[in-house]
Amino acid sequence: MDEPRVIRVNDTQININGNGRVPPEVATLLRAHLDGHFEPLDAAQADLTAEGHYGSAWVVLGADLVAIVRPGASEPVRTIPLDDDTDLKILEGIGASRFRVVREGRLLEELRYSRRQSRHFSRLLHRTDADQPPGELDADVPDAHREDDRICSKCDRLIPDWADSCPRCLHKRKILWRLFSYARPYKRWMFVGVFSGAMVTLLQLAPPILTKHLIDDVLSDPETNRQLLWPLILALIGAILLRVLFHYLQMNRLARMGEMMTCDLREHAFEHLQKLSLSYYSKKPTGQLISRVTHDTDRLWDFITFGVIEAGMSVLIILCIAVILFVYSPALALLTLLPIPVAVVLTYAHTRVMHRTFHRLWNKWSRMTSVLSDVIPGVRVVKAFTREAAEVQRFRRHNRDYQDDALKLHAEWTSYWPKIMLLINTGTIIIWGYGAPKVMRGDEGFSLGMFVAFLGFMWMFYGPVEQLGMLNRMFQRAATSAQRVFNILDTPPTIYTRPGAVADAPIRGQVCFRNVSFSYDGVKRVLHDLNFEAETGQMIGLAGPSGSGKTTLINLICRFYDVTEGAVLIDGKDLRNMDLNQLRGEIGVVLQEPYLFRGTIAENIAYGAPDAPIDRVIEAARAANAHEFITGLPDGYDTIVGERGHTLSGGERQRVSIARAVLRNPRILILDEATSSVDTKSEMHIQAAIDRMIQGRTTFAIAHRLSTLRRADKLIILDKGRMVEQGTHEELLESKGLYSKLFETQNELQALVTM
């Protein structure tokens, strides 16, 4: 066994989980056991023991060695040289994986880790193959590649799977205060609503006070104060009518303001979603995003319209009544308020439970809606494979899972209310027990009218306390919903027009890949050091086995993602420095599976140029060989196509998609398997349309049917993310490389099919 090397750990930061350091005890162990000079490149935590229990060991990678640190072990630090005789390996499993250090064929170390750490071990393994200076960690990788880290930057705790941000560091009041920033355009409505709510609260105090005077001043001495009867009655009527009027103004203005605010919030959230990159959508279920933009914003309307003003009115009336009670009888007021501290403690505990439960509930609601967003658009596949019963069962499982948590939620808040009601009734008993004997004895300063007023005020006092308890549930729902919506708004776009970028003259279409490498996750590269040029007007064919990186390459041209290394140049300019809207406005895309929106055929053709006149739409349809079948439909160009265009055949959808690209008149055209999923006759029509469309445009065409690439000016052959060949069709056949083998294999298969 190799002897440990004597080295020293310097103070270089070791990046863990994208935003942390190795624990101090690990750094201390390294300093205590090693002497010399050590420059750490990276580190990863093995969070499982050999038996599968949770544990902690660390792998610290240096330029020429790897250190294994096990705090608390008899041999806490072990270092192994990194040379030609040492191999670092990862054995991937379903729930856990293993990291191995093998030297001269002997297993020296094996550490187990959960899926949570997989990305970090993969990164560490790739660092052993990368020629990078010490202390750096893929400096060219955009931050988007690390946005999925699940460690809170404030408390360093793991963020649960059901949350986008750390629930422990959540400030609900800040979230709701931010929500009301959307009320600024409607300040006048808010003022009228709040003022009306305050008037409703104050007028609510009038009936008990008037009732006291009616009993003590009029009914107790009718001969002396008979003239006060009708004025007091009229004052009571006036207070009631004014309260109804102000209540109408409060509800009307706040309901309108709430609708306007949630409408703005929905639009803002949807607008921001359009700015986010494809990497964001690949990590978020569609149903979850739909739920946030629709379901969550709708819940906020309830809170804005009813919750806020009711909370304010409840607090105001509690304060006013407390003052009145102390003015009437300080001793009885103190007895009346005795249950309040208990109610506060119960409400606090109830709040904590409700907030956690609401988070889980919304997460399970999103999972349930994700099933709907999967199954309903894919209903053809479901029926074709007779999976209706299985999908019903899948939906039932998520629905019942949601129901279970919802029942727990209802059990919590329904058990909370009897406790509050008990406290309210306790207050009533206290008043009767203390006040009734004083009235019966005729104690001075405590009349029958005061006793009746006290009872009325008591119910008015505990009513708002009860209302605040109910509003607490609404408050928790609103805070959770607002957080989920703001999580969308707080996600920064990773692909955007950089400051200083200007929209230049229309591009010519020259494309150059210069030392381009790309990784989706910042660890495993799917494209390696690509170098090629496409001159203006050339057709470039992209071919290679599945998973070789063809679609990724065209995604970089469209700037759906930014390169990890190198640059993509258009007309000699790095496309990252170009105006994003101008760039994509000069690119036309025809996908393998064309996506049509619900609407007319004319609207779908004009999707990229909505202001185009109908004659240009028809001209584009003719160029795409679509005009003939469109005019054969009952409503022609006004025919409504179903969701995703399912009322049309595959070939018809593809020709509408080509017409959509033609109408935009792009300088760069991308064809992603445009003819792979249609029949022979449709392929002929589509190919004829493509031949006309590519004239004068720089074209990138992906095709598995290699015969369709014969006319390409240049073929680029990819394999495992690397460009293994480039040249014309004839040149590559003569070279007897990968393209030649693929071409011969397809010809043999075609011959077998035709036999």
Side-chain angles (χ1 to χ4, degrees):
M1 185 173 296
D2 301 290
E3 293 294 325
R5 294 184 56 185
V6 181
I7 54 180
R8 179 176 61 83
V9 180
N10 60 17
D11 294 328
T12 303
Q13 176 173 329
I14 301 173
N15 217 334
I16 304 299
N17 295 330
N19 61 359
R21 300 174 183 234
V22 293
E25 60 176 336
V26 174
T28 300
L29 285 170
L30 285 169
R31 293 190 184 99
H33 286 76
L34 306 176
D35 190 18
H37 184 67
F38 178 50
E39 293 181 330
L41 292 175
D42 204 354
Q45 180 188 19
D47 54 356
L48 297 176
T49 65
E51 295 77 22
H53 304 300
Y54 283 108
S56 181
W58 292 83
V59 180
V60 183
L61 181 68
D64 55 357
L65 63 87
V66 60
I68 310 298
V69 184
R70 291 185 176 90
S74 57
E75 185 185 0
V77 179
R78 182 184 183 189
T79 59
I80 302 169
L82 284 179
D83 52 30
D84 294 339
D85 295 326
T86 303
D87 291 325
L88 305 184
K89 296 181 179 181
I90 289 178
L91 300 180
E92 294 185 352
I94 297 176
S97 301
R98 288 173 287 175
F99 176 81
R100 287 182 169 181
V101 182
V102 179
R103 184 168 176 80
E104 296 178 348
R106 290 184 299 133
L107 178 63
L108 298 185
E109 289 284 354
E110 180 176 273
L111 297 95
R112 299 186 64 185
Y113 57 91
S114 65
R115 292 182 60 186
R116 186 183 304 158
Q117 306 295 335
S118 296
R119 178 171 172 266
H120 311 303
F121 273 94
S122 298
R123 182 185 62 198
L124 185 145
L125 189 63
H126 279 272
R127 288 297 297 267
T128 63
D129 298 328
D131 184 17
Q132 294 177 324
E136 294 183 6
L137 176 59
D138 290 343
D140 294 331
V141 180
D143 291 339
H145 295 153
R146 303 192 185 105
E147 68 184 6
D148 60 340
D149 291 326
R150 306 296 295 170
I151 304 297
C152 177
S153 59
K154 295 181 180 178
C155 65
D156 289 329
R157 295 180 179 178
L158 179 69
I159 299 174
D161 292 336
W162 47 264
D164 283 338
S165 57
C166 182
R168 301 175 186 88
C169 301
L170 176 66
H171 298 286
K172 296 185 285 295
R173 290 182 181 85
K174 290 183 179 179
I175 290 175
L176 295 176
W177 185 256
R178 178 181 175 186
L179 172 65
F180 279 95
S181 65
Y182 285 83
R184 288 171 186 163
Y186 314 105
K187 289 184 289 187
R188 183 175 300 177
W189 287 3
M190 182 171 65
F191 174 78
V192 173
V194 171
F195 176 77
S196 299
M199 293 304 298
V200 168
T201 301
L202 295 176
L203 288 168
Q204 191 176 349
L205 302 174
I209 296 174
L210 294 173
T211 301
K212 174 185 178 302
H213 287 292
L214 281 169
I215 294 175
D216 290 344
D217 298 339
V218 178
L219 299 182
S220 297
D221 189 6
E223 297 298 330
T224 305
N225 297 318
R226 182 185 301 273
Q227 71 279 6
L228 296 177
L229 176 63
W230 285 108
L232 288 173
I233 293 176
L234 290 174
L236 187 62
I237 294 173
I240 293 172
L241 292 177
L242 283 174
R243 184 165 176 251
V244 170
L245 173 63
F246 282 116
H247 191 264
Y248 163 77
L249 290 174
Q250 168 207 326
M251 297 299 296
N252 180 271
R253 291 299 178 263
L254 291 180
R256 287 171 176 266
M257 186 187 78
E259 197 63 57
M260 295 293 187
M261 285 176 60
T262 53
C263 177
D264 292 345
L265 188 60
R266 277 194 299 270
E267 290 180 0
H268 193 187
F270 184 75
E271 179 184 4
H272 191 73
L273 280 172
Q274 306 311 304
K275 299 176 183 177
L276 299 180
S277 64
L278 296 184
S279 60
Y280 178 82
Y281 289 94
S282 66
K283 298 171 185 174
K284 300 291 182 183
T286 303
Q288 185 183 103
L289 296 178
I290 293 173
S291 175
R292 293 187 184 197
V293 176
T294 57
H295 185 71
D296 286 325
T297 54
D298 187 59
R299 289 190 181 278
L300 293 176
W301 179 86
D302 288 333
F303 177 73
I304 295 168
T305 304
F306 303 107
V308 178
I309 191 64
E310 292 293 339
M313 291 169 61
S314 297
V315 170
L316 179 60
I317 200 168
I318 287 173
L319 294 175
C320 291
I321 291 176
V323 171
I324 293 173
L325 291 180
F326 275 100
V327 170
Y328 280 177
S329 175
L332 187 54
L334 283 173
L335 290 173
T336 305
L337 298 178
L338 275 179
I340 294 300
V342 181
V344 171
V345 172
L346 288 175
T347 302
Y348 176 76
H350 175 69
T351 297
R352 292 176 63 86
V353 175
M354 292 289 283
H355 188 66
R356 289 195 300 266
T357 307
F358 272 125
H359 266 295
R360 291 197 302 269
L361 205 60
W362 295 159
N363 184 56
K364 292 181 178 182
W365 177 273
S366 296
R367 291 178 183 176
M368 184 176 66
T369 55
S370 292
V371 175
L372 295 175
S373 63
D374 277 346
V375 173
I376 293 177
V379 67
R380 282 187 176 185
V381 178
V382 174
K383 292 184 177 297
F385 287 89
T386 61
R387 295 288 295 173
E388 294 93 338
E391 293 300 343
V392 168
Q393 184 61 33
R394 183 159 73 108
F395 179 80
R396 180 179 291 117
R397 184 173 67 252
H398 287 290
N399 191 35
R400 296 294 172 84
D401 200 20
Y402 175 83
Q403 174 190 269
D404 291 343
D405 265 18
L407 291 177
K408 292 177 183 176
L409 179 74
H410 296 318
E412 168 61 30
W413 76 267
T414 52
S415 65
Y416 167 74
W417 280 116
K419 300 170 187 174
I420 297 297
M421 292 302 297
L422 178 61
L423 292 174
I424 294 175
N425 287 300
T426 300
T428 305
I429 294 171
I430 290 173
I431 291 177
W432 276 101
Y434 179 84
K438 292 175 74 66
V439 174
M440 294 173 65
R441 291 194 302 266
D443 289 358
E444 186 178 352
F446 201 87
S447 64
L448 176 63
M450 183 182 293
F451 179 70
V452 172
F454 238 97
L455 285 174
F457 280 128
M458 189 276 300
W459 283 106
M460 289 175 61
F461 181 85
Y462 279 107
V465 173
E466 179 182 353
Q467 183 73 14
L468 286 176
M470 291 182 62
L471 291 174
N472 177 60
R473 181 169 178 264
M474 184 182 291
F475 178 87
Q476 298 303 320
R477 287 157 62 106
T480 305
S481 295
Q483 179 196 5
R484 285 159 54 86
V485 176
F486 289 141
N487 277 332
I488 293 178
L489 297 174
D490 291 340
T491 302
T494 56
I495 306 297
Y496 55 90
T497 300
R498 294 183 175 180
V502 294
D504 296 330
I507 67 175
R508 301 188 306 275
Q510 182 191 42
V511 179
C512 175
F513 273 59
R514 182 179 296 167
N515 303 319
V516 169
S517 296
F518 177 74
S519 170
Y520 284 103
D521 59 6
V523 178
K524 185 178 181 181
R525 295 189 178 182
V526 293
L527 292 179
H528 302 266
D529 198 26
L530 298 187
N531 286 278
F532 67 86
E533 288 190 20
E535 297 298 334
T536 302
Q538 277 191 331
M539 178 180 179
I540 306 298
L542 302 175
S546 295
S548 59
K550 302 183 295 295
T551 300
T552 300
L553 188 151
I554 64 174
N555 283 340
L556 295 181
I557 297 174
C558 297
R559 209 188 163 204
F560 293 147
Y561 301 90
D562 276 338
V563 299
T564 301
E565 292 180 1
V568 179
L569 308 178
I570 294 183
D571 296 343
K573 185 176 182 180
D574 191 329
L575 57 78
R576 289 172 293 188
N577 297 324
M578 298 177 65
D579 182 84
L580 190 59
N581 289 331
Q582 183 201 22
L583 171 68
R584 292 179 180 167
E586 298 283 2
I587 298 176
V589 181
V590 180
L591 301 173
Q592 178 181 1
E593 288 294 332
Y595 192 101
L596 300 186
F597 296 92
R598 181 171 180 81
T600 67
I601 292 179
E603 289 170 345
N604 272 279
I605 293 176
Y607 184 75
D611 297 327
I614 188 62
D615 56 337
R616 284 191 57 204
V617 172
I618 295 174
E619 181 183 349
R622 290 183 186 276
N625 282 343
H627 180 72
E628 183 178 348
F629 91 80
I630 294 174
T631 54
L633 297 172
D635 296 318
Y637 283 87
D638 293 326
T639 300
I640 299 291
V641 298
E643 186 178 359
R644 302 183 184 226
H646 282 166
T647 56
L648 303 178
S649 69
E652 291 169 342
R653 289 199 303 271
Q654 192 62 280
R655 280 180 274 173
V656 172
S657 177
I658 293 173
R660 182 165 59 193
V662 170
L663 182 61
R664 205 171 190 186
N665 193 26
R667 299 305 307 156
I668 298 175
L669 181 64
I670 292 174
L671 307 173
D672 188 359
E673 303 283 359
T675 62
S676 64
S677 58
V678 297
D679 57 75
T680 304
K681 183 177 180 180
S682 296
E683 182 181 0
M684 292 174 59
H685 288 295
I686 293 171
Q687 193 60 52
I690 288 174
D691 290 342
R692 286 195 293 270
M693 186 168 55
I694 65 176
Q695 299 300 320
R697 295 184 173 93
T698 305
T699 304
F700 289 84
I702 298 176
H704 279 300
R705 298 178 189 176
L706 302 182
S707 58
T708 62
L709 299 177
R710 289 175 179 268
R711 292 185 296 277
D713 298 293
K714 182 190 295 183
L715 292 174
I716 294 174
I717 313 303
L718 300 176
D719 186 25
K720 297 180 181 179
R722 301 182 185 275
M723 187 172 66
V724 294
E725 294 179 292
Q726 67 171 315
T728 65
H729 172 74
E730 291 76 14
E731 290 171 348
L732 295 182
L733 286 182
E734 292 176 3
S735 67
K736 300 298 181 182
L738 177 60
Y739 178 78
S740 177
K741 293 177 183 178
L742 292 173
F743 190 79
E744 290 174 2
T745 301
Q746 284 195 4
N747 285 341
E748 291 172 1
L749 290 175
Q750 186 64 32
L752 290 174
V753 171
T754 56
M755 288 178 62

